[in-house]
Amino acid sequence: MLGSLWHDIRLMNALSVICSTVALVLFSLATLVWLTHRPVFVFKHIELEGQFEHINRAAIREHALPVLQGNFFTMNLAKARQAFENVPWVRKATVRRMWPNRLRVSLVEHEVLGYWGENRLVSRLGEVFSANVAEAESQSIGKLPILHGPKGSQSQVVERYFLLNDQLSQLNLQVLELRLSDRFAWTAVLDNGLRVEFGVDRSERPMQEQLALFLKSYPVVMAQMMKKLAVFDLRYPSGFALAANSR
């Protein structure tokens, strides 16, 4: 039977075409692999785009460049983007290939709002991140506020911070510290040292109502206080309590 195959011209031609096609495909693949690994396609330039104050090339060299792998054809852009987003102060990165050996990276920087807890920072968008605290302090306007809250509550705390500052600006006051306890009770410390206790934000007396009472009562209280006011307690259902500084 094998001998008869050799005398089947059409079958032999078909086998010849198949073998030639396979050989051509293998050769093309080998050529492609060889070409994609040529030094000309190794990234030689990284172009940075964006407006930022804290992101610097030294941090990029330390945190991102050692992680980058591959050339124009083989680099995993998702992993490259993650490498740049691990650089301190980087909120978002977009990575694009530029023919034949350039990498264009667009960076968006965190816009710091204040401290989150003891050693982290929080942005104006409510995103917690790690960075050099001294850099945030050196370029901030005024003293950075300190915000606290249970895990995952940063967006809520930042939103409430802006709400309080917007209302308190009527009295030329500003929040220096805002804390949401594990029991979801709110406490604010103002830039004049006054501690304001709001307690749990309840539907029967929401913080907006407490703020209205504070804005109305505070000037009257300050005009009558003989000692420096230390605590303004708004946790009562129909009023407030005061505590003066003992000194």
Side-chain angles (χ1 to χ4, degrees), residues 169-236:
S169 63
Q170 301 176 43
L171 300 176
N172 293 319
L173 294 173
Q174 187 175 6
V175 176
L176 280 188
E177 183 174 355
L178 181 61
R179 180 182 295 272
L180 178 62
S181 73
D182 292 337
R183 296 184 177 182
F184 298 98
W186 294 93
T187 301
V189 177
L190 309 186
D191 55 354
N192 62 354
L194 177 65
R195 188 173 87 246
V196 183
E197 296 285 358
F198 292 97
V200 178
D201 193 2
R202 302 183 185 278
S203 58
E204 60 268 22
R205 196 183 183 195
M207 184 178 283
Q208 282 282 19
E209 185 177 320
Q210 292 174 308
L211 267 174
L213 176 62
F214 178 82
L215 295 174
K216 178 181 178 180
S217 306
Y218 178 80
V220 178
V221 169
M222 293 302 294
Q224 298 178 359
M225 288 289 294
M226 300 300 294
K227 292 184 178 182
K228 183 178 179 180
L229 187 62
V231 180
F232 204 114
D233 195 339
L234 293 161
R235 292 175 293 179
Y236 296 88

Side-chain angles (χ1 to χ4, degrees), residues 34-183:
W34 181 83
L35 282 174
T36 56
H37 286 80
R38 294 305 87 201
V40 69
F41 299 118
V42 175
F43 288 112
K44 295 180 174 63
H45 305 282
I46 297 179
E47 302 175 3
L48 298 180
E49 295 181 334
Q51 296 181 350
F52 36 82
E53 298 179 3
H54 301 97
I55 302 171
N56 58 72
R57 293 183 179 274
I60 291 173
R61 284 194 296 268
E62 178 183 354
H63 295 276
L65 297 190
V67 183
L68 300 181
Q69 296 180 347
N71 59 21
F72 184 89
F73 295 100
T74 62
M75 176 174 285
N76 185 317
L77 291 185
K79 291 183 178 180
R81 174 182 56 78
Q82 186 62 53
F84 282 99
E85 290 182 351
N86 287 336
V87 175
W89 288 101
V90 175
R91 175 178 176 265
K92 183 179 180 181
T94 302
V95 181
R96 291 171 289 174
R97 301 182 180 94
M98 305 297 293
W99 180 265
N101 53 19
R102 289 182 298 143
L103 201 64
R104 181 170 294 173
V105 183
S106 299
L107 300 177
V108 178
E109 186 176 77
H110 283 291
E111 188 178 356
V112 66
L113 171 64
Y115 300 102
W116 183 259
E118 297 181 356
N119 54 15
R120 304 190 74 188
L121 298 170
V122 63
S123 74
R124 298 179 68 86
L125 295 176
E127 297 172 338
V128 175
F129 63 100
S130 298
N132 189 331
V133 173
E135 293 177 356
E137 293 175 339
S138 65
Q139 302 202 18
S140 66
I141 300 175
K143 190 174 181 180
L144 288 175
I146 303 172
L147 308 180
H148 306 264
K151 185 177 180 180
S153 66
Q154 55 267 24
S155 295
Q156 182 182 5
V157 176
V158 167
E159 181 181 354
R160 194 58 55 93
Y161 169 82
F162 285 125
L163 169 67
L164 289 172
N165 268 347
D166 180 63
Q167 296 294 313
L168 292 171
S169 63
Q170 301 176 43
L171 300 176
N172 293 319
L173 294 173
Q174 187 175 6
V175 176
L176 280 188
E177 183 174 355
L178 181 61
R179 180 182 295 272
L180 178 62
S181 73
D182 292 337
R183 296 184 177 182

